[in-house]
Amino acid sequence: METHSLIQKYNIPGPRYTSYPTVPYWDESSFTAKAWESTFIKSFKESNVQEGISIYIHLPFCEQLCTFCGCHKRITKRHEVETPYLQSVLKEWRLYCNLLPARPIIKELHLGGGTPTFFSPENLKQLIEGIFKLASRAETYEYSFEGHPNNTTKAHLQTLYDLGFRRVSYGVQDYNLTVQKAINRIQPFENVKKVTEWAREIGYTSVSHDIIFGLPFQSTNAVKETILKTKELLPDRIAFYSYAHVPWIKGNGQRGFNENDLPKPTVKREQYELGKALLEEMGYIEIGMDHFALKSDSMYQAMQNHKLHRNFMGYTASKTQLMIGLGTSSISDSWYGFAQNEKRVEKYQAMVEEGILPVVKGHILNQEDLVIRKHILNLMCQLKTNWQQQKDYFEKLPESLQLLDEMISDGLICITGKELEITPAGRAFVRNACMAFDWRLQRNKPDTKLFSMTI
């Protein structure tokens, strides 16, 4: 089947699978904070010594709204909000540590947002030092943060480097001025060049750039020009992903344009294929879905060593069974359960002040969830999976087998015995393959908009 026809056939709403079950399919009716605490403690006991834990800290403040963004954020120019918010995060961390039978060992730590560099270097230093008053570092660790090219200072970079951070990610999106105006993110190339070079001067071992295709008013030539400019800086990693248009989500900032201003699905695919070809010419290797890395980067090495992992932070170069999310809207993952924090800043802070874990919803995985989660994780990270241990796997849900038969006919996957592998032509449709394994989705197809389009 021609690429154009494949795009028409498979461009349907679908999850990005940073978790399974996906958030809209969590069973909130049977979830309790106590049940979450139980899975959290169980996972900690099983994994803390062997592999350590991960910490994600959500820093929600931004000085202005970027209208492509689907993240939870608070727009303000009042920097006096920094200290009380960070105090709440540290109090939440203490609540978790009080549940633990031993001192946590932190293997991965990531600051996301919002805009982490909204916070002063001094305040970020107090935050990280506060975290490690109650924790130890793993022997090998990876600490990273997201920096806005317009407000990341050399002091931010040096301060976090001195605290053990070696990875920084910069949101580039697109260098075209028309696109930047549409998404309210005016960001000159010179700013990105400056902060990238600063990071390298200081000693960061991995600098990442985020580039988005499918943005409003974005042409294929604009994507080409952005990647050619990126070639001048040659970041270690590149997240090259499709804009997710989800304006129906509460609190979303996607406004000032509509679906008619977005590239058509076939144009989006052209943008991706051109970008991928250019990146590969530059020496980047495609990793999982939407990610590229140089061979010298730890993400490429993780893929080669079959240690690539995916969670709510996206792709990571190593796996931890337990990930604790701190701050508003953060999601924690104990492998056996998920828990999401209160999204409203004031309510989050009030709960923490009262000594309550600010968890407001979640899901405890059943045995079927645990099986399916492994298959979807395998597909997202290794592009293949094997169900030798579940010989009757597909017989339980014929709809899944029918969908996979279509993907086989279209040359997107191949199944040999009890193993499925995504073909090179099928890499663009890995989310669709995962959807065939997503029994909760197959059993209960949504009748309202939940997910962005897969292409």
Side-chain angles (χ1 to χ4, degrees), residues 323-371:
M323 186 188 79
I324 302 173
L326 303 175
T328 59
S329 78
S330 287
I331 300 178
S332 299
D333 177 0
S334 68
W335 185 260
Y336 306 109
F338 303 117
Q340 183 166 26
N341 281 355
E342 168 63 46
K343 297 176 183 178
R344 293 166 294 176
V345 173
E346 292 80 8
K347 182 67 182 298
Y348 162 80
Q349 291 178 303
M351 291 177 73
V352 172
E353 284 299 321
E354 293 173 20
I356 302 169
L357 279 181
V359 168
V360 292
K361 70 176 184 178
H363 177 87
I364 305 301
L365 283 75
N366 61 31
Q367 190 56 44
E368 179 185 284
D369 292 336
L370 290 168
V371 170

Side-chain angles (χ1 to χ4, degrees), residues 101-169:
R103 189 176 177 87
I105 302 169
I106 301 178
K107 184 177 185 179
E108 290 188 335
L109 174 61
H110 182 71
L111 307 181
T115 306
T117 46
F118 172 96
F119 292 78
S120 71
E122 296 77 18
N123 280 337
L124 291 176
K125 183 174 188 286
Q126 288 182 17
L127 169 67
I128 302 306
E129 288 179 342
I131 293 290
F132 281 103
K133 283 180 181 177
L134 302 175
S136 303
R137 298 176 189 270
E139 286 187 17
T140 58
Y141 57 84
E142 187 171 271
Y143 302 158
S144 57
F145 74 98
E146 298 167 13
H148 193 313
N150 288 355
N151 68 13
T152 299
T153 65
K154 202 166 188 178
H156 279 116
L157 289 159
Q158 187 65 61
T159 297
L160 290 170
Y161 180 88
D162 293 342
L163 292 164
F165 286 71
R166 295 294 181 270
R167 272 200 58 229
V168 58
S169 174

Side-chain angles (χ1 to χ4, degrees), residues 38-316:
S38 176
T39 70
F40 162 76
I41 294 168
K42 176 184 178 183
S43 188
F44 179 85
K45 289 178 178 177
E46 290 177 351
S47 64
N48 183 55
V49 174
Q50 290 83 358
E51 63 184 20
I53 69 170
S54 294
I55 303 289
Y56 169 77
I57 304 177
H58 191 69
L59 302 173
F61 301 112
C62 300
E63 288 198 342
Q64 70 176 37
L65 178 69
C66 299
T67 54
F68 70 92
C69 179
C71 300
H72 297 288
K73 64 270 179 188
R74 170 68 62 86
I75 308 302
T76 181
K77 294 184 184 295
R78 294 174 53 242
H79 285 265
E80 59 267 30
V81 300
E82 293 184 33
T83 297
Y85 181 80
L86 296 182
Q87 288 173 344
S88 295
V89 170
L90 290 174
K91 287 177 182 176
E92 182 190 1
W93 174 233
R94 282 196 291 274
L95 291 174
Y96 270 113
C97 290
N98 288 341
L99 297 172
L100 298 176
R103 189 176 177 87
I105 302 169
I106 301 178
K107 184 177 185 179
E108 290 188 335
L109 174 61
H110 182 71
L111 307 181
T115 306
T117 46
F118 172 96
F119 292 78
S120 71
E122 296 77 18
N123 280 337
L124 291 176
K125 183 174 188 286
Q126 288 182 17
L127 169 67
I128 302 306
E129 288 179 342
I131 293 290
F132 281 103
K133 283 180 181 177
L134 302 175
S136 303
R137 298 176 189 270
E139 286 187 17
T140 58
Y141 57 84
E142 187 171 271
Y143 302 158
S144 57
F145 74 98
E146 298 167 13
H148 193 313
N150 288 355
N151 68 13
T152 299
T153 65
K154 202 166 188 178
H156 279 116
L157 289 159
Q158 187 65 61
T159 297
L160 290 170
Y161 180 88
D162 293 342
L163 292 164
F165 286 71
R166 295 294 181 270
R167 272 200 58 229
V168 58
S169 174
Y170 295 121
V172 172
Q173 324 327 338
D174 190 288
Y175 288 118
N176 181 273
L177 187 57
T178 299
V179 176
Q180 289 187 353
K181 287 179 179 178
I183 63 175
N184 199 33
R185 177 94 170 199
I186 307 301
Q187 185 171 267
F189 173 75
E190 290 70 25
N191 290 7
V192 180
K193 182 175 187 291
K194 178 176 63 178
V195 293
T196 297
E197 290 176 348
W198 278 348
R200 287 182 167 145
E201 286 172 19
I202 288 169
Y204 282 79
T205 55
S206 182
V207 178
S208 178
H209 288 185
D210 292 351
I211 300 172
I212 304 179
F213 61 92
L215 288 167
F217 308 109
Q218 187 182 45
S219 67
T220 301
N221 191 59
V223 173
K224 178 181 178 181
E225 290 301 314
T226 293
I227 290 178
L228 290 178
K229 282 183 175 293
T230 301
K231 184 178 181 180
E232 296 180 39
L233 305 178
L234 212 66
D236 304 273
R237 296 182 191 178
I238 293 176
F240 180 51
Y241 58 94
S242 169
Y243 164 65
H245 191 58
V246 287
W248 56 86
I249 293 179
K250 185 179 179 181
N252 199 293
Q254 295 176 349
R255 54 180 181 259
F257 54 87
N258 58 44
E259 291 186 7
N260 295 327
D261 301 319
L262 303 176
K264 302 301 181 189
T266 51
V267 176
K268 280 183 72 177
R269 200 64 216 161
E270 288 171 7
Q271 292 175 347
Y272 175 78
E273 294 296 347
L274 174 63
K276 175 183 174 181
L278 290 171
L279 291 170
E280 288 177 343
E281 284 177 17
M282 292 155 56
Y284 290 94
I285 309 297
E286 191 170 18
I287 309 288
M289 180 185 77
D290 303 337
H291 284 67
F292 293 79
L294 297 175
K295 288 186 176 182
S296 56
D297 190 80
S298 61
M299 185 168 281
Y300 170 78
Q301 293 155 12
M303 183 188 72
Q304 291 295 99
N305 297 327
H306 304 290
K307 291 185 177 180
L308 191 66
H309 186 55
R310 186 170 175 83
N311 55 29
F312 287 103
M313 295 190 288
Y315 283 108
T316 66

